[in-house]
Amino acid sequence: MWNKTGSATFTQGSTILTGVGTEWLDQRAGWEFVLAGEDKRHEIKRIISATALELQEPVERASASGVAFAIIPTQGLNLVVREKIDDVLAIFRGVLDNFALGVFALWQAQGGNEQGTIADFLNAIKGDPGTPGDPGPAGPTTIVPCVPDGNANAITLAPQTGYAITSEDQLLTWQAIGTNNGNVTVNVAGAGALPVVMPDTGKDVPSGAIRVGHVAVIRLNTAGTRYDLVAPSFAAQPTHVQLVQINTSGDALQARIAQPGVKLPAAFNNVEFVLEVAGDRGAAGASIQLFEYDGVTPVAGIGAMPLRLGNGTDIIPAGFWLTGDTIRFRRSGTTGLARLMQASSAPLRDL
């Protein structure tokens, strides 16, 4: 279905369009944007917010406001993607051809038609599958990532959006918001607090068994009376969160979370943010502020963060990135700074 809700405003020679009464968040880069009164179809480069988007090429007609439009979903693949798919298919065709030739040669070596058809030969190679053995006890059916709250010793967990707790054999996992200094209890989805114990001894977990920023994994025992700490606390891999810039500044960046339903973990230190910048880096020093998917609500717990090089101290120099470059950064919880991990136009040694 074409999106025709609202109207568009644009400036001649600009790639940025703003909308009034529009709902553009659910649209996609690569779809076609058609302005009333012209036959040209523009390709959408990125969706900035519900009322702003960027085109691949600037609008050539005279500036106007309140213009009707239509956004047309395109299901086709671009040329580069088609070429890559063709390459992969060619590889598979080569593998299948070589396999077929190999089987044919082996069949001939074994006597060919004198020993039966190729199908008979393949069945002989396959042999009798035998009787299946005991599959053993069933393992956990699912892993349920959870959002933690409370404190290091009295933890409450809620399943992340899209997950549900349906049986006791599920593994519950979360990124710890603190390091325990004594016995630990966990209250999952309001079902009541239960102790967390070591599975081999049944004794309470020791201090430091669950460490801040690390991943913890528990499972409810069959009696439903406790949670077993299935795995020692281990360091979490960075969570990658894609961002979309909602302004065009190269210095005071503002960016929203690109995908709906993304909930940032309580410990932001282990989150790696990825952003394609929409403005050249100007004067020395830069900052970034993060917003929820709607592009309006600031992310709780993160204000405007000064951006620094990877050492967390040096100010980012002028011209360090250009429009269209991709930057990666993490928040330093001790200082409130954002440490730049990579900028696609800058050599990594400079970080």
Side-chain angles (χ1 to χ4, degrees):
M1 181 178 295
W2 295 6
N3 184 331
K4 300 180 180 179
T5 303
S7 63
T9 297
F10 55 88
T11 301
Q12 184 180 33
S14 174
T15 58
I16 303 297
L17 278 72
T18 57
V20 176
T22 53
E23 292 292 340
W24 290 344
L25 280 177
D26 293 332
Q27 309 305 289
R28 295 288 182 268
W31 289 6
E32 294 179 341
F33 192 98
V34 181
L35 289 165
E38 64 177 45
D39 296 330
K40 181 176 181 179
R41 295 190 175 191
H42 303 271
E43 181 181 351
I44 298 175
K45 179 179 181 180
R46 65 185 179 114
I47 303 298
I48 299 174
S49 68
T51 57
L53 58 79
E54 183 178 3
L55 303 177
Q56 288 285 3
E57 298 178 351
V59 178
E60 298 176 354
R61 60 189 283 188
S63 303
S65 60
V67 179
F69 67 89
I71 296 179
I72 305 172
T74 55
Q75 305 303 327
L77 298 173
N78 63 41
L79 181 60
V80 173
V81 175
R82 289 201 301 268
E83 289 176 348
K84 290 186 179 298
I85 291 176
D86 289 341
D87 291 342
V88 172
L89 290 176
I91 292 173
F92 275 105
R93 281 194 294 268
V95 171
L96 290 174
D97 289 345
N98 290 334
F99 175 76
L101 290 173
V103 170
F104 182 73
L106 186 58
W107 172 65
Q108 285 187 318
Q110 296 297 319
N113 286 322
E114 297 179 0
Q115 302 297 325
T117 66
I118 290 181
D120 295 333
F121 176 65
L122 291 175
N123 284 329
I125 292 176
K126 183 171 64 175
D128 184 358
T131 303
D134 184 359
T141 55
T142 55
I143 295 176
V144 181
C146 297
V147 178
D149 202 352
N151 57 54
N153 295 335
I155 305 166
T156 61
L157 298 178
Q160 288 187 9
T161 303
Y163 292 87
I165 297 174
T166 57
S167 63
E168 71 277 358
D169 63 350
Q170 291 174 302
L171 295 177
L172 310 182
T173 179
W174 74 97
Q175 188 174 346
I177 57 177
T179 300
N180 73 299
N181 56 9
N183 299 345
V184 176
T185 62
V186 171
N187 187 338
V188 178
L194 294 176
V196 178
V197 303
M198 304 301 294
D200 51 346
T201 64
K203 296 182 179 180
D204 291 318
V205 294
S207 296
I210 298 175
R211 298 177 57 190
V212 62
H214 286 205
V215 173
V217 184
I218 60 174
R219 179 170 53 195
L220 187 66
N221 70 342
T222 54
T225 57
R226 71 186 193 194
Y227 287 104
D228 293 331
L229 185 64
V230 175
S233 178
F234 58 92
Q237 295 299 313
T239 299
H240 292 81
V241 176
Q242 187 71 41
L243 303 174
V244 176
Q245 190 167 347
I246 57 178
N247 65 351
T248 56
S249 171
D251 303 321
L253 288 73
Q254 294 180 332
R256 67 173 177 86
I257 297 173
Q259 299 296 327
V262 174
K263 183 176 178 60
L264 295 177
F268 296 114
N269 298 12
N270 210 48
V271 177
E272 183 170 288
F273 297 98
V274 183
L275 172 67
E276 180 181 323
V277 294
D280 293 348
R281 176 72 195 91
S287 66
I288 186 165
Q289 184 171 10
L290 305 185
F291 293 82
E292 299 288 354
Y293 174 70
D294 61 11
V296 177
T297 307
V299 172
I302 302 183
M305 299 178 289
L307 276 163
R308 295 290 185 267
L309 294 182
N311 58 18
T313 302
D314 294 342
I315 294 176
I316 295 173
F320 199 70
W321 60 67
L322 303 175
T323 300
D325 285 347
T326 297
I327 63 173
R328 297 173 180 268
F329 62 91
R330 297 186 192 176
R331 178 176 181 267
S332 174
T334 57
T335 62
L337 300 172
R339 296 174 57 235
L340 193 66
M341 311 307 296
Q342 182 180 1
S344 57
S345 66
L348 292 179
R349 59 183 173 79
D350 289 343
L351 300 180

